[in-house]
Amino acid sequence: MNDRVSNHPGRWVLTPVTGQSNTYDFTRADDPTVAGTPLNKASLLTDATAAVINALSGSTPDTPNDALNSLASALDTLGITNNAKIEITTYTGAGGGYSTNYKSLTFSIKPRFVIWAYPGSNSQWYGEGGNTGLTWVYPYVIGPSYSDGGKNFYMIFDYIENTKTLRWRMHAPSGTGSVSSSQWSIWNEDVSGKTYTVIAIGVK
Amino acid sequence: MRLIEIAENELGGHQNQDIAAEIPVPEGWAVIPPDMAIPETFPFVRITVKNQRVTSMVAGTMPPEPEPTPPEPTADDILNAILGVTE
């Protein structure tokens, strides 16, 4: 929008309306150099804009204030008002066998969705593609401790909000049996010397 | 910043993390100064730490390569073993 610019701001001519006492026509006499953007439906809230907002929020705004309110609600519903951040961290696998100790990563943001990505196989997802050389992805939504349930071996995830620390380990309720140390390191996403990249989407 | 867990696992390896952001050093971990040389054996290293900061790091011993896992016997292999068939 543009402001009106004139040589005589606020100057008006009042012309008496014939036959009507104390009634005047106002005519601008400010000698504008820039007309400025008029304040009307076309400049404040067109029907087309109202329809777009309706598509987002489900309601048609009648006023600019309604429109802003609807947009704020829609953004909140989408979670965008949380100011989402992405953080990437890496670590080098240290091997090791079965342990009740957790592996852990600490973030500067509060992660809400985490993805493990690394080239090649040797994934906890044994049997899902084999040695394809592709980038493996292991997604995890932050929440209560997770397991895939019902199996003897499963992954446990644990998140500590106040330190922004994500922990994980493979669990073996029926014992480690004949599982080798190297197999444990695969399941724990901790193969010796292997570089793992972890991408976190979260909030400040 | 690069972090390393002070305690080592049973193989002599240390948990570690590399992250661009500055974060508080977790309890039990230490920060690796950016100008410190990292041995090729990392994270199998021996470290000394003072006030959650690594003051020295030398190469440790890499764990031996795991022996290749023999393939799972097939149903035919099992049947042949039971029947004593060698071919």
Side-chain angles (χ1 to χ4, degrees), chain A residues 159-182:
Chain A
Y159 174 62
I160 305 167
E161 179 85 340
N162 64 343
T163 58
K164 302 169 186 167
T165 301
L166 177 65
R167 310 189 304 170
W168 73 97
R169 69 180 175 86
M170 200 72 175
H171 185 53
S174 61
T176 60
S178 60
V179 178
S180 66
S181 176
S182 59

Side-chain angles (χ1 to χ4, degrees), chain A residues 121-174:
Chain A
S121 60
N122 282 345
S123 167
Q124 194 275 98
W125 271 300
Y126 53 97
E128 293 185 13
N131 189 11
T132 62
L134 299 175
T135 295
W136 286 82
V137 174
Y138 194 120
Y140 168 59
V141 177
I142 297 294
S145 291
Y146 163 84
S147 80
D148 62 3
K151 298 178 181 177
N152 285 334
F153 298 92
Y154 57 84
M155 193 74 115
I156 297 175
F157 285 105
D158 184 35
Y159 174 62
I160 305 167
E161 179 85 340
N162 64 343
T163 58
K164 302 169 186 167
T165 301
L166 177 65
R167 310 189 304 170
W168 73 97
R169 69 180 175 86
M170 200 72 175
H171 185 53
S174 61

Side-chain angles (χ1 to χ4, degrees), chain B residues 37-61:
Chain B
I38 307 296
E40 286 188 6
T41 61
F42 187 88
F44 300 92
V45 292
R46 293 197 304 276
I47 58 174
T48 54
V49 174
K50 185 176 183 182
N51 298 329
Q52 285 194 296
R53 189 175 180 84
V54 178
T55 54
S56 75
M57 181 185 298
V58 296
T61 305

